[in-house]
Coordinates of all heavy atoms in Angstrom, one line a residue:
M69 N -4.7 -37.0 -3.8 CA -5.3 -37.7 -4.9 C -5.1 -36.8 -6.1 O -5.4 -35.6 -6.1 CB -6.8 -38.0 -4.6 CG -7.6 -38.5 -5.7 SD -7.7 -40.3 -5.9 CE -7.8 -41.0 -4.4
T70 N -4.7 -37.4 -7.2 CA -4.6 -36.8 -8.5 C -5.6 -37.5 -9.4 O -5.8 -38.7 -9.3 CB -3.2 -36.7 -9.1 OG1 -2.8 -38.0 -9.3 CG2 -2.2 -36.0 -8.2
V71 N -6.1 -36.7 -10.4 CA -7.0 -37.3 -11.4 C -6.5 -36.9 -12.7 O -6.2 -35.7 -13.0 CB -8.5 -36.8 -11.2 CG1 -9.4 -37.4 -12.2 CG2 -9.0 -37.1 -9.8
R72 N -6.5 -37.8 -13.7 CA -6.1 -37.5 -15.0 C -7.2 -38.1 -16.0 O -7.6 -39.2 -15.8 CB -4.7 -38.2 -15.3 CG -4.1 -37.7 -16.6 CD -2.7 -38.2 -16.7 NE -2.6 -39.1 -17.8 CZ -1.6 -39.9 -18.0 NH1 -0.6 -39.9 -17.2 NH2 -1.6 -40.7 -19.1
V73 N -7.6 -37.2 -16.9 CA -8.7 -37.6 -17.8 C -8.1 -37.6 -19.2 O -7.5 -36.6 -19.6 CB -9.9 -36.6 -17.7 CG1 -11.0 -37.0 -18.6 CG2 -10.4 -36.6 -16.2
T74 N -8.4 -38.7 -19.9 CA -8.0 -38.8 -21.3 C -9.2 -39.1 -22.2 O -9.9 -40.0 -21.9 CB -6.9 -39.9 -21.4 OG1 -5.8 -39.7 -20.6 CG2 -6.4 -40.0 -22.9
P75 N -9.4 -38.3 -23.2 CA -10.5 -38.6 -24.1 C -10.4 -39.9 -24.9 O -9.2 -40.2 -25.3 CB -10.6 -37.4 -25.0 CG -9.2 -36.8 -25.0 CD -8.6 -37.2 -23.7
L76 N -11.5 -40.6 -25.1 CA -11.5 -41.7 -26.1 C -12.1 -41.2 -27.4 O -13.1 -40.6 -27.4 CB -12.3 -42.9 -25.5 CG -11.8 -43.6 -24.3 CD1 -12.8 -44.6 -23.8 CD2 -10.5 -44.2 -24.6
R77 N -11.4 -41.5 -28.5 CA -11.9 -41.0 -29.8 C -12.2 -42.2 -30.7 O -11.5 -43.2 -30.7 CB -10.8 -40.1 -30.4 CG -10.5 -38.9 -29.5 CD -9.4 -38.0 -30.2 NE -9.1 -36.9 -29.3 CZ -9.7 -35.7 -29.3 NH1 -10.7 -35.5 -30.1 NH2 -9.3 -34.8 -28.5
D78 N -13.1 -41.9 -31.6 CA -13.4 -42.9 -32.6 C -12.5 -42.7 -33.8 O -11.6 -41.9 -33.8 CB -14.9 -42.9 -33.1 CG -15.3 -41.6 -33.7 OD1 -14.4 -40.8 -34.1 OD2 -16.5 -41.4 -33.9
S79 N -12.6 -43.5 -34.9 CA -11.7 -43.4 -36.0 C -11.7 -42.1 -36.7 O -10.8 -41.7 -37.4 CB -12.0 -44.6 -37.0 OG -13.4 -44.4 -37.4
S80 N -12.8 -41.3 -36.5 CA -12.9 -40.0 -37.2 C -12.3 -38.9 -36.3 O -12.3 -37.7 -36.6 CB -14.3 -39.7 -37.6 OG -15.1 -39.5 -36.5
G81 N -12.0 -39.2 -35.0 CA -11.4 -38.3 -34.1 C -12.4 -37.7 -33.2 O -12.1 -36.9 -32.3
A82 N -13.7 -38.0 -33.3 CA -14.7 -37.5 -32.4 C -14.6 -38.2 -31.0 O -14.3 -39.4 -30.9 CB -16.1 -37.8 -33.0
I83 N -14.8 -37.4 -30.0 CA -14.7 -37.9 -28.6 C -16.0 -38.7 -28.4 O -17.1 -38.3 -28.5 CB -14.6 -36.8 -27.6 CG1 -13.3 -36.0 -27.8 CG2 -14.7 -37.3 -26.2 CD1 -13.1 -34.8 -27.0
I84 N -15.8 -40.0 -28.0 CA -16.9 -40.9 -27.7 C -16.9 -41.3 -26.2 O -17.8 -42.0 -25.8 CB -16.8 -42.1 -28.6 CG1 -15.5 -42.9 -28.4 CG2 -17.0 -41.8 -30.0 CD1 -15.4 -44.2 -29.0
G85 N -16.0 -40.8 -25.5 CA -15.9 -41.2 -24.0 C -14.7 -40.6 -23.4 O -13.9 -39.8 -24.0
A86 N -14.4 -41.1 -22.2 CA -13.2 -40.6 -21.5 C -12.8 -41.7 -20.5 O -13.6 -42.5 -20.1 CB -13.4 -39.3 -20.8
V87 N -11.5 -41.7 -20.2 CA -10.9 -42.5 -19.2 C -10.4 -41.7 -18.1 O -9.7 -40.7 -18.3 CB -9.8 -43.4 -19.7 CG1 -9.1 -44.2 -18.6 CG2 -10.3 -44.3 -20.9
E88 N -10.8 -42.0 -16.8 CA -10.3 -41.2 -15.7 C -9.4 -42.1 -14.9 O -9.7 -43.2 -14.6 CB -11.5 -40.8 -14.8 CG -12.3 -39.7 -15.3 CD -13.4 -39.3 -14.4 OE1 -13.9 -40.1 -13.5 OE2 -13.8 -38.1 -14.4
L89 N -8.2 -41.6 -14.6 CA -7.2 -42.3 -13.8 C -7.0 -41.6 -12.5 O -6.7 -40.4 -12.5 CB -5.9 -42.4 -14.6 CG -5.9 -43.1 -15.9 CD1 -4.5 -42.9 -16.6 CD2 -6.2 -44.6 -15.7
F90 N -7.2 -42.3 -11.4 CA -7.1 -41.8 -10.1 C -5.8 -42.3 -9.5 O -5.5 -43.5 -9.6 CB -8.3 -42.2 -9.2 CG -9.6 -41.6 -9.7 CD1 -10.3 -42.3 -10.6 CD2 -10.0 -40.4 -9.2 CE1 -11.5 -41.7 -11.1 CE2 -11.2 -39.8 -9.6 CZ -12.0 -40.5 -10.6
N91 N -5.0 -41.5 -8.9 CA -3.7 -41.9 -8.3 C -3.6 -41.3 -6.9 O -3.8 -40.1 -6.7 CB -2.6 -41.3 -9.2 CG -1.3 -41.9 -8.7 OD1 -1.2 -42.9 -8.2 ND2 -0.2 -41.1 -9.0
D92 N -3.3 -42.2 -6.0 CA -3.1 -41.8 -4.6 C -1.7 -41.2 -4.5 O -0.7 -42.0 -4.6 CB -3.3 -43.0 -3.7 CG -3.0 -42.7 -2.2 OD1 -2.8 -41.5 -1.9 OD2 -2.9 -43.6 -1.4
N93 N -1.5 -39.9 -4.3 CA -0.2 -39.3 -4.2 C 0.1 -38.9 -2.8 O 0.9 -38.0 -2.6 CB -0.1 -38.1 -5.2 CG -1.0 -37.0 -4.8 OD1 -2.0 -37.2 -4.1 ND2 -0.7 -35.8 -5.3
S94 N -0.5 -39.5 -1.8 CA -0.3 -39.1 -0.4 C 1.2 -39.4 0.0 O 1.7 -38.6 0.8 CB -1.2 -39.9 0.5 OG -1.1 -41.3 0.4
A95 N 1.8 -40.4 -0.6 CA 3.2 -40.6 -0.3 C 4.1 -39.5 -0.8 O 5.0 -39.0 -0.1 CB 3.7 -41.9 -0.9
N96 N 3.8 -38.9 -2.0 CA 4.5 -37.8 -2.5 C 4.3 -36.6 -1.6 O 5.2 -35.8 -1.4 CB 4.1 -37.5 -3.9 CG 4.6 -38.6 -4.9 OD1 5.4 -39.4 -4.6 ND2 4.0 -38.6 -6.1
V97 N 3.0 -36.3 -1.2 CA 2.7 -35.2 -0.4 C 3.5 -35.3 0.9 O 4.1 -34.3 1.4 CB 1.2 -35.1 -0.2 CG1 0.9 -34.0 0.9 CG2 0.5 -34.7 -1.5
A98 N 3.5 -36.5 1.5 CA 4.2 -36.7 2.8 C 5.7 -36.4 2.6 O 6.3 -35.8 3.5 CB 3.9 -38.1 3.3
A99 N 6.2 -36.9 1.5 CA 7.7 -36.7 1.3 C 8.0 -35.2 1.1 O 9.0 -34.7 1.6 CB 8.1 -37.5 0.0
L100 N 7.1 -34.5 0.4 CA 7.4 -33.0 0.2 C 7.3 -32.3 1.6 O 8.1 -31.4 1.8 CB 6.4 -32.4 -0.8 CG 6.6 -32.8 -2.2 CD1 5.5 -32.3 -3.1 CD2 8.0 -32.3 -2.7
Q101 N 6.3 -32.7 2.4 CA 6.2 -32.1 3.7 C 7.4 -32.4 4.6 O 7.9 -31.5 5.2 CB 4.9 -32.6 4.4 CG 3.7 -32.0 3.8 CD 2.4 -32.7 4.4 OE1 2.5 -33.7 5.0 NE2 1.3 -32.0 4.2
R102 N 7.9 -33.6 4.5 CA 9.1 -33.9 5.2 C 10.3 -33.1 4.7 O 11.2 -32.7 5.5 CB 9.4 -35.4 5.1 CG 10.6 -35.9 5.9 CD 10.4 -35.7 7.4 NE 11.5 -36.2 8.1 CZ 12.0 -35.7 9.2 NH1 11.4 -34.7 9.8 NH2 13.1 -36.2 9.8
L103 N 10.4 -33.0 3.4 CA 11.5 -32.2 2.8 C 11.5 -30.7 3.3 O 12.5 -30.2 3.7 CB 11.4 -32.2 1.3 CG 12.5 -31.4 0.5 CD1 13.9 -31.9 0.8 CD2 12.2 -31.4 -0.9
E104 N 10.3 -30.1 3.4 CA 10.1 -28.8 3.9 C 10.6 -28.7 5.4 O 11.3 -27.8 5.8 CB 8.7 -28.3 3.8 CG 8.3 -28.0 2.4 CD 6.8 -27.6 2.3 OE1 6.1 -27.7 3.2 OE2 6.5 -27.1 1.2
E105 N 10.2 -29.7 6.2 CA 10.7 -29.8 7.6 C 12.2 -29.8 7.7 O 12.8 -29.2 8.5 CB 10.0 -31.0 8.3 CG 8.6 -30.9 8.5 CD 8.0 -32.2 9.0 OE1 8.7 -33.2 9.3 OE2 6.7 -32.3 9.0
L106 N 12.8 -30.7 6.8 CA 14.2 -30.8 6.9 C 14.9 -29.5 6.4 O 16.0 -29.2 6.9 CB 14.7 -32.0 6.0 CG 14.3 -33.4 6.6 CD1 14.6 -34.5 5.6 CD2 14.9 -33.6 7.9
E107 N 14.4 -28.8 5.4 CA 14.9 -27.6 5.0 C 14.9 -26.6 6.1 O 15.8 -25.8 6.4 CB 14.1 -27.0 3.8 CG 14.4 -27.7 2.5 CD 13.5 -27.2 1.4 OE1 12.4 -26.8 1.6 OE2 14.0 -27.3 0.2
K108 N 13.8 -26.6 6.9 CA 13.7 -25.6 8.0 C 14.7 -26.0 9.1 O 15.4 -25.1 9.6 CB 12.3 -25.7 8.6 CG 12.2 -24.8 9.8 CD 10.8 -24.9 10.5 CE 10.8 -24.0 11.7 NZ 9.6 -24.1 12.5
L109 N 14.9 -27.3 9.3 CA 15.9 -27.7 10.3 C 17.3 -27.3 9.9 O 18.2 -27.0 10.7 CB 15.8 -29.2 10.6 CG 14.6 -29.7 11.3 CD1 14.5 -31.2 11.3 CD2 14.6 -29.2 12.7
A110 N 17.5 -27.3 8.6 CA 18.9 -27.0 8.1 C 19.2 -25.5 8.1 O 20.3 -25.1 8.1 CB 19.1 -27.6 6.7
L111 N 18.1 -24.7 8.0 CA 18.3 -23.3 7.8 C 17.9 -22.4 9.0 O 18.3 -21.2 9.0 CB 17.5 -22.8 6.5 CG 18.0 -23.4 5.2 CD1 17.0 -23.1 4.1 CD2 19.4 -23.1 4.9
I112 N 17.1 -22.9 9.9 CA 16.5 -22.0 10.9 C 16.9 -22.6 12.3 O 16.7 -23.8 12.5 CB 14.9 -22.0 10.8 CG1 14.5 -21.5 9.4 CG2 14.3 -21.2 11.9 CD1 14.9 -20.0 9.2
D113 N 17.3 -21.7 13.2 CA 17.7 -22.1 14.5 C 16.4 -22.5 15.3 O 15.4 -21.7 15.3 CB 18.4 -21.0 15.3 CG 18.7 -21.4 16.7 OD1 19.8 -22.0 16.9 OD2 17.9 -21.1 17.6
P114 N 16.3 -23.7 15.8 CA 15.0 -24.2 16.4 C 14.6 -23.4 17.7 O 13.5 -23.2 18.0 CB 15.3 -25.6 16.8 CG 16.8 -25.8 16.8 CD 17.3 -24.7 15.9
L115 N 15.6 -22.8 18.4 CA 15.3 -22.1 19.6 C 14.8 -20.7 19.3 O 13.7 -20.2 19.8 CB 16.5 -22.0 20.5 CG 16.3 -21.2 21.8 CD1 15.2 -21.9 22.7 CD2 17.6 -21.2 22.6
T116 N 15.5 -20.0 18.4 CA 15.1 -18.6 18.1 C 14.3 -18.4 16.9 O 13.7 -17.4 16.7 CB 16.4 -17.7 17.9 OG1 17.1 -18.2 16.8 CG2 17.3 -17.8 19.2
E117 N 14.2 -19.4 16.1 CA 13.6 -19.4 14.8 C 14.1 -18.3 13.9 O 13.4 -17.7 13.1 CB 12.0 -19.3 14.9 CG 11.5 -20.6 15.5 CD 10.0 -20.8 15.3 OE1 9.4 -20.0 14.6 OE2 9.5 -21.8 15.7
V118 N 15.4 -18.0 14.0 CA 16.1 -17.0 13.2 C 17.0 -17.8 12.3 O 17.5 -18.9 12.6 CB 16.9 -16.1 14.1 CG1 17.8 -15.2 13.3 CG2 16.0 -15.3 15.0
G119 N 17.2 -17.3 11.1 CA 18.0 -17.9 10.1 C 19.4 -18.2 10.7 O 20.0 -17.3 11.3
N120 N 20.0 -19.3 10.4 CA 21.4 -19.6 10.9 C 22.4 -19.2 9.8 O 22.1 -18.6 8.9 CB 21.5 -21.1 11.3 CG 21.2 -22.0 10.1 OD1 21.3 -21.6 9.0 ND2 20.9 -23.3 10.5
R121 N 23.6 -19.7 10.0 CA 24.7 -19.3 9.1 C 24.4 -19.8 7.7 O 24.7 -19.1 6.7 CB 26.0 -19.9 9.6 CG 27.2 -19.5 8.8 CD 28.5 -20.1 9.4 NE 29.6 -19.8 8.5 CZ 30.8 -20.2 8.7 NH1 31.1 -20.7 9.9 NH2 31.8 -20.0 7.9
R122 N 24.0 -21.1 7.6 CA 23.7 -21.6 6.3 C 22.6 -20.8 5.6 O 22.7 -20.6 4.4 CB 23.2 -23.1 6.4 CG 22.9 -23.7 5.1 CD 22.5 -25.2 5.2 NE 23.8 -25.9 5.5 CZ 23.8 -27.0 6.1 NH1 22.7 -27.5 6.6 NH2 25.0 -27.6 6.4
Y123 N 21.6 -20.3 6.3 CA 20.5 -19.5 5.8 C 21.2 -18.2 5.2 O 20.9 -17.8 4.1 CB 19.5 -19.2 6.9 CG 18.4 -18.3 6.4 CD1 17.2 -18.9 6.0 CD2 18.5 -16.9 6.5 CE1 16.1 -18.1 5.6 CE2 17.4 -16.1 6.1 CZ 16.2 -16.7 5.7 OH 15.2 -15.9 5.3
S124 N 22.0 -17.6 6.0 CA 22.7 -16.3 5.6 C 23.6 -16.5 4.4 O 23.6 -15.7 3.4 CB 23.5 -15.8 6.7 OG 22.7 -15.5 7.8
E125 N 24.3 -17.6 4.4 CA 25.2 -17.9 3.2 C 24.4 -18.2 2.0 O 24.7 -17.7 0.9 CB 26.1 -19.1 3.5 CG 27.2 -18.8 4.5 CD 28.0 -20.0 5.0 OE1 27.6 -21.1 4.6 OE2 29.0 -19.8 5.7
T126 N 23.3 -18.9 2.1 CA 22.5 -19.2 0.9 C 21.8 -17.9 0.4 O 21.8 -17.7 -0.8 CB 21.4 -20.2 1.3 OG1 22.0 -21.4 1.8 CG2 20.5 -20.5 0.1
F127 N 21.3 -17.1 1.3 CA 20.7 -15.9 0.9 C 21.7 -14.9 0.3 O 21.5 -14.3 -0.8 CB 20.0 -15.2 2.1 CG 19.5 -13.8 1.7 CD1 18.3 -13.8 1.0 CD2 20.1 -12.7 2.1 CE1 17.8 -12.5 0.6 CE2 19.6 -11.4 1.8 CZ 18.4 -11.4 1.0
S128 N 22.9 -14.8 0.9 CA 23.9 -13.9 0.3 C 24.4 -14.3 -1.1 O 24.7 -13.5 -1.9 CB 25.1 -13.7 1.3 OG 25.8 -14.9 1.4
R129 N 24.5 -15.6 -1.3 CA 24.9 -16.2 -2.6 C 23.9 -16.1 -3.7 O 24.2 -15.8 -4.8 CB 25.3 -17.6 -2.4 CG 26.7 -18.0 -2.7 CD 27.1 -19.5 -2.7 NE 26.0 -20.4 -2.3 CZ 25.8 -21.0 -1.1 NH1 26.6 -20.7 -0.1 NH2 24.9 -21.8 -1.0
T130 N 22.6 -16.4 -3.3 CA 21.6 -16.6 -4.3 C 20.4 -15.7 -4.2 O 19.6 -15.6 -5.1 CB 21.1 -18.0 -4.3 OG1 20.6 -18.3 -3.1 CG2 22.3 -19.0 -4.7
G131 N 20.2 -15.0 -3.1 CA 19.1 -14.2 -2.9 C 17.8 -15.0 -2.6 O 17.9 -16.2 -2.3
W132 N 16.7 -14.3 -2.6 CA 15.4 -14.9 -2.2 C 15.0 -16.1 -3.2 O 14.2 -16.9 -2.8 CB 14.3 -13.9 -2.2 CG 14.5 -12.8 -1.2 CD1 14.8 -11.5 -1.4 CD2 14.3 -13.0 0.2 NE1 14.9 -10.9 -0.2 CE2 14.6 -11.7 0.8 CE3 14.0 -14.0 1.0 CZ2 14.5 -11.5 2.2 CZ3 13.9 -13.8 2.4 CH2 14.2 -12.6 3.0
R133 N 15.5 -16.1 -4.4 CA 15.0 -17.0 -5.4 C 15.1 -18.5 -5.0 O 14.3 -19.3 -5.4 CB 15.6 -16.7 -6.7 CG 15.2 -15.4 -7.4 CD 15.9 -15.3 -8.7 NE 17.3 -15.4 -8.6 CZ 18.2 -14.4 -8.5 NH1 17.7 -13.2 -8.4 NH2 19.5 -14.6 -8.4
T134 N 16.2 -18.8 -4.3 CA 16.5 -20.2 -4.1 C 16.1 -20.7 -2.7 O 16.1 -21.9 -2.4 CB 17.9 -20.6 -4.3 OG1 18.7 -19.8 -3.4 CG2 18.3 -20.3 -5.7
L135 N 15.7 -19.7 -1.8 CA 15.3 -20.1 -0.5 C 13.9 -20.7 -0.6 O 13.1 -20.3 -1.4 CB 15.3 -19.0 0.5 CG 16.6 -18.4 0.9 CD1 16.5 -17.2 1.7 CD2 17.4 -19.5 1.7
P136 N 13.6 -21.7 0.3 CA 12.2 -22.2 0.2 C 11.2 -21.1 0.5 O 11.4 -20.2 1.3 CB 12.2 -23.2 1.4 CG 13.6 -23.6 1.6 CD 14.4 -22.4 1.2
V137 N 10.1 -21.1 -0.3 CA 9.2 -20.0 -0.2 C 8.7 -19.7 1.2 O 8.7 -18.5 1.6 CB 8.0 -20.3 -1.1 CG1 6.9 -19.2 -1.0 CG2 8.4 -20.4 -2.6
R138 N 8.4 -20.6 2.0 CA 7.9 -20.4 3.3 C 9.0 -19.7 4.2 O 8.7 -18.9 5.1 CB 7.4 -21.6 4.0 CG 6.1 -22.1 3.3 CD 5.6 -23.3 4.0 NE 4.4 -23.8 3.4 CZ 3.8 -24.9 3.6 NH1 4.3 -25.8 4.4 NH2 2.7 -25.2 3.0
L139 N 10.2 -20.1 3.9 CA 11.3 -19.4 4.7 C 11.6 -18.0 4.2 O 11.9 -17.1 5.0 CB 12.6 -20.3 4.7 CG 12.4 -21.7 5.3 CD1 13.7 -22.5 5.1 CD2 12.1 -21.6 6.7
A140 N 11.5 -17.8 2.9 CA 11.9 -16.6 2.3 C 10.9 -15.5 2.7 O 11.2 -14.3 2.9 CB 11.9 -16.7 0.8
V141 N 9.6 -15.8 2.9 CA 8.6 -14.8 3.3 C 8.4 -14.8 4.8 O 7.6 -14.0 5.3 CB 7.3 -15.1 2.6 CG1 7.4 -14.9 1.1 CG2 6.7 -16.4 2.9
G142 N 9.2 -15.6 5.5 CA 9.1 -15.4 7.0 C 8.0 -16.3 7.6 O 7.8 -16.2 8.8
C143 N 7.3 -17.1 6.9 CA 6.4 -18.0 7.5 C 7.1 -19.3 8.0 O 8.1 -19.7 7.4 CB 5.3 -18.5 6.4 SG 4.4 -17.2 5.8
H144 N 6.7 -19.8 9.1 CA 7.3 -20.9 9.7 C 6.5 -22.2 9.5 O 5.3 -22.1 9.6 CB 7.6 -20.7 11.2 CG 8.5 -19.5 11.4 ND1 9.9 -19.6 11.0 CD2 8.3 -18.3 11.8 CE1 10.4 -18.4 11.3 NE2 9.5 -17.6 11.8
L145 N 7.1 -23.3 9.4 CA 6.5 -24.6 9.3 C 6.0 -25.0 10.7 O 6.7 -24.7 11.6 CB 7.4 -25.6 8.7 CG 7.9 -25.3 7.3 CD1 9.0 -26.4 6.9 CD2 6.8 -25.3 6.3
H146 N 5.0 -25.7 10.8 CA 4.5 -26.2 12.1 C 4.6 -27.7 12.1 O 4.5 -28.4 11.2 CB 3.1 -25.7 12.3 CG 3.0 -24.3 12.4 ND1 3.4 -23.5 13.4 CD2 2.5 -23.4 11.5 CE1 3.2 -22.2 13.2 NE2 2.7 -22.1 12.0

C-alpha cells in the first residue's frame, strides 16, 4: 500500500485541507519479488548456491555495483 498526500490550498495559498490517495501496490511488490527470484535462478546454482558462470562474468565485467544487492552481499532469497 502506498499513500500520497496533496495539500488543498485556498486562493491565497493557505492550506485548507488535504487529499490522501491510497494505492494498492501489491502487484508491483509481487513482480519485484518474482524478478529477484529469477535473478537468483539466472546467477546462482540451485544445488550448491554458488555463483555460476553468468554470475562470474557479470561480476568480472561490472563489479559489485550491478549485481542484485542480495546476491552481492551473499544473502540468499528464500
Side-chain angles (χ1 to χ4, degrees):
M69 172 90 36
T70 60
V71 180
R72 194 168 114 192
V73 179
T74 303
L76 291 175
R77 299 178 185 271
D78 65 14
S79 58
S80 67
I83 296 175
I84 58 171
V87 175
E88 290 182 330
L89 299 172
F90 296 87
N91 186 27
D92 176 11
N93 67 340
S94 57
N96 291 344
V97 170
L100 288 173
Q101 289 173 340
R102 182 66 178 145
L103 179 61
E104 288 177 350
E105 291 170 8
L106 293 172
E107 285 176 331
K108 179 182 178 186
L109 289 172
L111 298 173
I112 303 295
D113 179 86
L115 180 61
T116 64
E117 293 199 0
V118 173
N120 60 19
R121 181 176 175 180
R122 180 175 288 150
Y123 181 94
S124 299
E125 289 173 352
T126 301
F127 176 73
S128 66
R129 240 187 0 259
T130 59
W132 294 109
R133 291 182 306 267
T134 60
L135 290 175
V137 172
R138 290 184 178 167
L139 297 176
V141 297
C143 298
H144 297 291
L145 302 173
H146 298 284

